[in-house]
């Protein structure tokens, strides 16, 4: 049997953010020391539903404090991300955790979050597919392949070179 510690603390407002982040950091470290298999982090914006907002940033902060627990992103909301930046963030976290990362990619659901980032929540499934497909292409891309062109409804580019860092796990972190 494995136990996971799910950290998605609601916040009463800005004055509580610092103490809450400190408390959940302590909870994550205590869970790791107690043998919990994973720390689960969520992504929420603008809603007071998740104090830390960015699961990638908070996971990176926790990475140096965890000795054995995995980090599971439950979930990274694909439609709200630029594909190459999503890949960079996932790869960095995968490296910091020596491969103890699982990235759940999902379509999200909060209209407040979508509207705050200029997305129509009615398009979340289609946008999720676009970003996920472009991210998978970026993970598969090799510099010798030439520039990688990608296009989603909100982002496009021509990526020369490589995504840095590369993932710890090949061809990408566990998804």
């Amino acid at each position: 049997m494995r136990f996971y510690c799910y950290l998605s603390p609601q916040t009463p407002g800005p004055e509580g953010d610092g103490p809450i982040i400190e408390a959940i950091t302590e909870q994550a470290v205590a869970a790791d020391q107690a043998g919990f298999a994973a720390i689960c982090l969520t992504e929420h914006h603008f809603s007071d539903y998740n104090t830390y907002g960015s699961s990638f940033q908070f996971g990176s902060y926790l990475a140096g404090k965890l000795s054995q627990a995995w980090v599971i992103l439950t979930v990274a909301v694909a439609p709200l991300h630029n594909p190459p930046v999503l890949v960079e963030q996932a790869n960095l976290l995968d490296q910091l955790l020596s491969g103890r990362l699982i990235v759940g990619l999902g379509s999200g659901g909060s209209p407040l979050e979508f509207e705050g980032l200029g997305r129509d929540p009615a398009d979340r499934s289609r946008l999720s597919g676009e970003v996920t497909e472009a991210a998978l292409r970026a993970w598969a891309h090799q510099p010798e392949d030439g520039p990688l062109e990608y296009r989603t409804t909100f982002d496009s580019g021509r990526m020369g070179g490589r995504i840095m860092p590369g993932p710890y796990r090949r061809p990408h972190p566990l998804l």
Side-chain angles (χ1 to χ4, degrees), residues 79 107-111 114-115 119-128:
S107 60
S110 171
F114 275 72
E115 291 165 3
R119 289 2 182 217
D120 182 347
D123 293 334
R124 68 180 178 255
S125 181
R126 178 181 57 78
L127 296 173
S128 184

Side-chain angles (χ1 to χ4, degrees), residues 71-120:
V71 169
I72 302 174
L73 304 185
T74 57
V75 301
V77 183
L80 305 181
H81 289 273
N82 170 284
V85 174
L86 173 74
V87 170
E88 283 180 346
Q89 290 175 331
N91 286 358
L92 177 58
L93 188 51
D94 195 42
Q95 286 286 350
L96 293 172
L97 290 162
S98 300
R100 296 186 332 266
L101 173 67
I102 298 174
V103 179
L105 293 173
S107 60
S110 171
L112 178 69
E113 296 174 13
F114 275 72
E115 291 165 3
L117 292 168
R119 289 2 182 217
D120 182 347

